[in-house]
Amino acid sequence: FFLHLTWSDQKMMEKIMAGNSNEDENERTSLLASSSAPPTVAAPYPSGSARGSGRSNVIHVSGRPSLTGAELEELERSAQRLVGRENDDGNVLPDSDSVNGLLAGCSDDDASAGSIGGLGEGDEADKNTPVTMNDLEFLTGSRGGGNNSSFDVEGQTQEEKDEETREQSAHDVDDREKAMLSQRVHESTRALRASVGDGIRKNLSYGGGAARGGGELLKKPQPTSQHAEIEPSLEETRPTSLRFKLLSLIGLTLFIMLLLFAVLALGTLAVGPPLQPSGEYRILEAQVGNDFWKYYNFYAGKDSAGSNGYINYVSREDADNLGIARVVTEEVPKERMIQVYEEGDPRVDEELFAEELAFLDQLNRKKADEEQDKEDSEVEVQESSEDKVTGGSSNNSTGSENKKGSDHRQLLPGTALIDDHPAPKLEPFNPNPATPDTANNSPAETFVIMSSSPTESGPRNSLRLEGRRRFNRGLFIIDLRHMPAGCGTWPAFWLTDEANWPVNGEIDIVEGVNYQDTAKTALHSTKECMMDDVPEGSKTGSWDTSVGIPNKKTGIPDMTFRYAQNCFVYDPHQWLNQGCVATDLKSEGRSLGMPLNANGGGVYALEWDPVNHHVRTWVFSPHGRVPSNLREAMRTATEEEEGKRVAPDTNQWGLPYGHFPIGEGTKCPSGHFRNMRLVINLAFCGSVSGNRYFMDCPEQFKKYKTCNEYVASDPEELKEAYWKIRGVYIYERAWERQWA
C-alpha cells in the first residue's frame, strides 16, 4: 500500500528531520522529553479539517495527495541528509530505500484507496479517515513537545520554503537528535514493512488497528472480507499424489537400468568377447639337447625337511665334474623304431583306439560279471538238463566272441592289411632334425642324462633342477627313454611353489618310489578341494586308496575303505600329504619304473587348463601307442617357422587316465594351483621311499634294516637310477576373444 499524506504541520516535521539548531533550548528539551512518551491515537475528524488543542494536529488521508511536487522534493532533500550517517551508539541511520519507502506514499502517481488511520479496535476503515499527529509520529519516530500550533502548508510561498531549507542545511545535526531520529525511523520502518508486507503478500486491505510506538509490535490487522483472496489448499495445488510419485520413481529406475543395460550391450558388442587363453596350443619351451639346461637352475644343498631324502644336491659345475649331468646322442636301433602311417591313412591311431575300446569293453564286462555273480549266488542249483542247455549256449557265445575278435585288424610291422593302403614305415619316434652333415647317416636321437653318484659319508650326490619360469596353466609333456627305478629311489617330475606350499598347490606329473610300476598323478592343496564330482566316462583310471590310517588320538588304524579324493594335504582320513591321487588302469603294471624302461620308455602329458575347468593326465608306453598328433607336435616343436609346427590337440589323444575338475562349477577352485614352476629331481629314501622300504624291498630289508644303510652301501641296482630324457615340451593356449 502507498500512503498518501497531506501535511498540515510541515514546519514541525522539517524541524524534527533537519534538527534545526535555531530552536531555543526549552523547545529542544521539550521535544526530546516528549519523544519517549507513548503515542496517543486521536479520534477521527472529518476530511479536510485541522484542529489544534494540545497534541491534536490532524493529517488528512485522501484518495489523492495534497502536497505539490516542489514540496515533496524539499521534504525528500531534508530526509536524505540523514541517510548513511551514524549516531553516538554506532547505529547506522536509515538507508535511502527505507526513506524513499516512507516518502513513496506522497507520490502523485498512485491513487490508492487504502488508508492507515489512527483508529481503535473495531473502527471501520474509510479512505477519507483523518490521521492524527500521533500516527505520523509513530511512522517517523518523532513527537512534538507542547506545540499546539497548526501549520497551513498552502499559506507558504515556494521562496520561503527554499529559504528555510537552505538555513536548515547549514547547521549540523545534533548527535543525540540523530540517534533518536535514527531509532524512531528504524522502528517505524520495520513495523510499517511488517504490516504492509504481510498485507501485500495476502493481497488484503486493512481498515485500521491499534499501534504502539517505541519499536513495540503492531497488533496484526484483520483482513476485510471484500478484498480477501483465499489461497488454494496445498493438497489441491500438488500436481502429483503419493502413488504417482512412487510410480514415477519406479519408472525412472527401470529407465535408468534399461539405459545402462543398453550402454553395456553396445559397449560389449563394440569391444567384443573377453580375451582369454582358449585358443590352440603354441610352443613355449622346447627343452632338448644342450639347450635343456638353460631352462633350469641347479639347486645345491640338502633335501627339504618334508622330503628328508638321503642325498646331497650338487651344483651344475659339480654335476659336470661328477659326470651325472650330461647330453648324449645315440643312433636309433631298428627295434626301437615305430610304425608310421602316411597322412590320411585310416589306420592312423587305430591300434591306440582299438586298445582303448577293448579296455572300456573289458571294464563293462567286469562290471557285468560282478553283478551276475551276485545274482547267481542267490539262485539255487538248476537241474542237470538245464545245465547242459546252459553249457551249449555258452559255447555258442564263446564262438561268437571269437568271431567278433577276429574282425579287429592285427597291426603287425611290415604286413599289409585287407585294404590297399601300403604297409607302415619304421621310423625313430622323435629323431634329431636332419642336417647336411647327417643327411646320409643313420637317424639319431639326443638325450639328457641325469644320474647320481655315491659318497664316502653315505648320502648320494644327486640333481634337483628348478625351472626358471612360473606357470598358471599349460600343457606339460616329457618324453622318456628311461627313468630312475629300484629300491630306495624316489624320482619326480612335478610343479610346485615351495615358498608358498601348500597355499599355491602342487601337481605331481610323474612320481614313483621303489618298485612301483603304475603311473600316478597327485594334486596337493589347502582345504576345500574335493574330487568326488568327476563326470562319468571322463577317464580310464581310478583313485588311489587310503586304508589303515591311524587315529590321531588312539593310534588305532582305521580300516574304512576310502578313495584318496581329497587334495587337502592334512586330511585326517588320508595319509599325511597324500592328496588326491589318480592311478592308471589301462596300462596298469607297465606305465612306470622298471616295466616302463623295459618298453623303451614312454610319454607323459599333463594338461592344466583352468579356462576349461580341468587338469588331465595321460601316459603312453611304448612309444608306438603315442597318438600321431602328439608325436608330430613333439617332432616339429623345434621348427623355426611357426607354420611348420603342429599344435597338440588333446581331444585327439583319447581319454586320460586322470581327470581333476577345477574352477567354476566344481568342488575345487582353480586358485588352489598357481604360480608354480617345474622341478625334476632324483631323491633317495626319505619320508616316502624310506618309510615304505620294509614293505617294498623285503629282500634288501633282510640285510639292511634301513633304507639309508642300503643306499650307503652303493648297491649295483642303483646304476639303473637315472633319467634319460628326449625332451620336455611346454605349451600354452593362445589368447583369443571368446564368449564361453
Side-chain angles (χ1 to χ4, degrees), residues 7-85:
W7 300 91
S8 59
D9 200 352
Q10 185 178 4
K11 291 290 186 179
M12 177 61 71
M13 284 300 302
E14 289 181 352
K15 284 184 178 182
I16 293 173
M17 299 186 69
N20 192 349
S21 61
N22 292 331
E23 293 181 350
D24 55 69
E25 187 64 23
N26 293 335
E27 184 178 357
R28 185 189 303 267
T29 303
S30 176
L31 178 63
L32 294 175
S34 63
S35 64
S36 61
T40 59
V41 180
Y45 288 94
S47 177
S49 64
R51 294 178 57 182
S53 58
R55 294 282 303 161
S56 61
N57 296 319
V58 176
I59 302 174
H60 295 282
V61 179
S62 62
R64 301 290 299 173
S66 58
L67 292 181
T68 63
E71 292 170 344
L72 291 174
E73 291 177 1
E74 188 66 27
L75 181 61
E76 182 178 359
R77 283 195 299 271
S78 299
Q80 291 294 340
R81 289 198 307 272
L82 302 178
V83 173
R85 301 184 183 182

Side-chain angles (χ1 to χ4, degrees), residues 246-261:
L246 182 60
L247 294 176
S248 300
L249 182 60
I250 295 175
L252 181 61
T253 303
L254 292 176
F255 173 75
I256 293 176
M257 293 178 63
L258 182 62
L259 182 61
L260 292 176
F261 178 77

Side-chain angles (χ1 to χ4, degrees), residues 533-559:
D533 58 344
V534 179
E536 187 73 20
S538 62
K539 61 185 179 65
T540 62
S542 183
W543 297 102
D544 199 1
T545 59
S546 54
V547 181
I549 310 299
N551 186 284
K552 291 184 177 180
K553 294 183 179 180
T554 64
I556 300 175
D558 182 4
M559 302 308 296

